[in-house]
Amino acid sequence: MVERASSAGAPREVSAALAPTDPLGALNQAFLDAYAARREAVLAGIEPIIAQIDDSLILRRGGRRFEGPARTRRYHELKVVAHAPLAVHALLSGRRGALDGAARGRLAELRQRIAAAAADLDGRGFTPEQLARQRRILGASLALLDEASAAGGVAPEALSAFTRAQTPDVLLNAEDAARDQIETMHATVEAWKRDMTPDERERLRAVVAVSHMARPGNVAAQYFSITLGETWQGRFDQEDLRPGKRVLTAEATFDEAEAFALLATHALDAGVATRFFGEETRLSRDILADAAERILAGMFHKEPEPPGEAGAGG
């Protein structure tokens, strides 16, 4: 809303939007209604179609809706533990001087939650190797928090050494999480495809709901690209806009607060990625992307096409 002076000199509010009573506003609404109706008709005509939204796969086929799993609880357990050292880094990085009262309070709360998680690892069904890894990650995080609490902070060199020491275990958790999602999705999709006609399998499309920072290399987008016969670029895989594309990604950031938060996310993730992985843009693609590329290459005996080579010479 913008204030402008009226002819009498008094400020009045002027909106750029057309009022519903404006003939052009009414015409625009007619367009939106017609477009929405046509979109529904087109959607019905392009079935079957699968959507991956968080932990679920949703199939629309023949006017019916089916739902199946895209991930198991193991996926989330592995990712949560991998987030612990990132939380420690976020709390302790960029500080000058001793921790203040608010920071100490957050440190104590984080320590309590990590300790509770560490005490609850048994009985979750981890393999022996996975269980040892989760204990290493959480134990190292607790140790650094205790050091910071005792000293009133942590030296940048010590924090850097901590992040690099956690990287191998964090990436192993990412690989196991990627495998969980790929194998779970594959079981669901293959079960659905067995009930489809050859024509339906040929026409099958997929849409993947993604966040902005995890768009390139998204696990589900990679999976659908390779299983539906699309161009697959491995960990750098992302949507292109060529006609006939069978795998789409859905991302929306139209809210002002979200737009500003996105700028902050880019800045924060660049610093975290540099410290943990030595690659500023590492968190601009799915943290599971590299692992997904390796798993899919082994599963389908195929190598990804590097960016820029897809369709070359065509």
Side-chain angles (χ1 to χ4, degrees):
M1 200 71 74
V2 179
E3 279 197 354
R4 300 186 187 278
S6 67
S7 57
R12 62 184 178 87
E13 290 187 341
V14 177
S15 172
L18 295 171
T21 54
D22 187 310
L24 290 180
L27 176 58
N28 187 58
Q29 187 59 52
F31 155 72
L32 295 174
D33 293 342
Y35 189 88
R38 179 56 185 160
R39 182 174 55 203
E40 283 299 309
V42 169
L43 183 60
I46 64 173
E47 293 181 2
I49 186 167
I50 296 174
Q52 186 259 325
I53 303 175
D54 292 328
D55 296 334
S56 298
L57 290 174
I58 300 159
L59 168 67
R60 287 182 55 160
R61 175 181 175 235
R64 299 177 62 192
R65 181 185 184 277
F66 305 86
E67 186 169 342
R71 303 165 179 150
T72 73
R73 182 170 293 183
R74 175 69 75 241
Y75 169 94
H76 294 288
E77 291 171 334
L78 292 162
K79 287 194 71 176
V80 167
V81 173
H83 284 161
L86 275 70
V88 172
H89 176 272
L91 181 59
L92 297 176
S93 65
R95 294 193 168 276
R96 297 182 181 276
L99 296 171
D100 58 22
R104 283 187 173 275
R106 288 192 293 272
L107 186 151
E109 181 181 4
L110 178 59
R111 192 201 185 286
Q112 185 275 326
R113 295 191 179 190
I114 292 177
D120 194 51
L121 291 174
D122 292 332
R124 289 186 176 272
F126 287 116
T127 67
E129 188 278 329
Q130 287 176 333
L131 181 58
R133 189 196 316 150
Q134 310 320 302
R135 287 173 173 163
R136 283 197 304 271
I137 294 172
L138 297 182
S141 298
L142 287 172
L144 190 67
L145 289 176
D146 287 343
E147 177 185 335
S149 179
V154 63
E157 298 79 11
L159 184 58
S160 179
F162 164 79
T163 59
R164 292 303 174 90
Q166 302 314 302
T167 299
D169 281 343
V170 167
L171 290 179
L172 284 172
N173 266 28
E175 180 134 3
D176 283 351
R179 187 176 302 279
D180 176 272
Q181 180 170 349
I182 289 169
E183 291 180 349
T184 304
M185 289 180 60
H186 192 54
T188 300
V189 171
E190 288 300 299
W192 284 340
K193 287 170 70 175
R194 282 194 292 271
D195 290 334
M196 294 181 187
T197 66
D199 179 64
E200 285 178 318
R201 288 193 291 271
E202 183 66 26
R203 291 187 293 107
L204 180 62
R205 301 187 185 200
V207 58
V208 178
V210 299
S211 65
H212 177 83
M213 295 304 291
R215 185 168 182 164
N218 177 272
V219 174
Q222 282 201 64
Y223 170 77
F224 283 121
S225 290
I226 195 169
T227 196
L228 297 184
E230 292 287 272
T231 299
W232 175 53
Q233 296 180 338
R235 63 187 181 277
F236 297 107
D237 201 60
Q238 58 183 317
E239 176 183 311
D240 63 51
L241 299 178
R242 62 178 175 78
K245 181 72 174 173
R246 295 174 66 192
V247 181
L248 305 176
T249 53
E251 174 196 343
T253 307
F254 302 117
D255 179 79
E256 178 178 314
E258 290 181 0
F260 285 124
L262 182 60
L263 293 176
T265 299
H266 271 283
L268 175 61
D269 279 7
V272 171
T274 298
R275 289 174 176 82
F276 272 83
F277 308 113
E279 180 184 353
E280 182 176 339
T281 60
R282 180 62 184 86
L283 294 182
S284 293
R285 65 180 187 270
D286 194 332
I287 189 64
L288 311 183
D290 296 18
E293 178 184 285
R294 289 192 297 273
I295 294 166
L296 289 167
M299 180 183 292
F300 292 93
H301 307 292
K302 183 177 180 180
E303 293 299 320
E305 296 182 38
E309 292 188 13

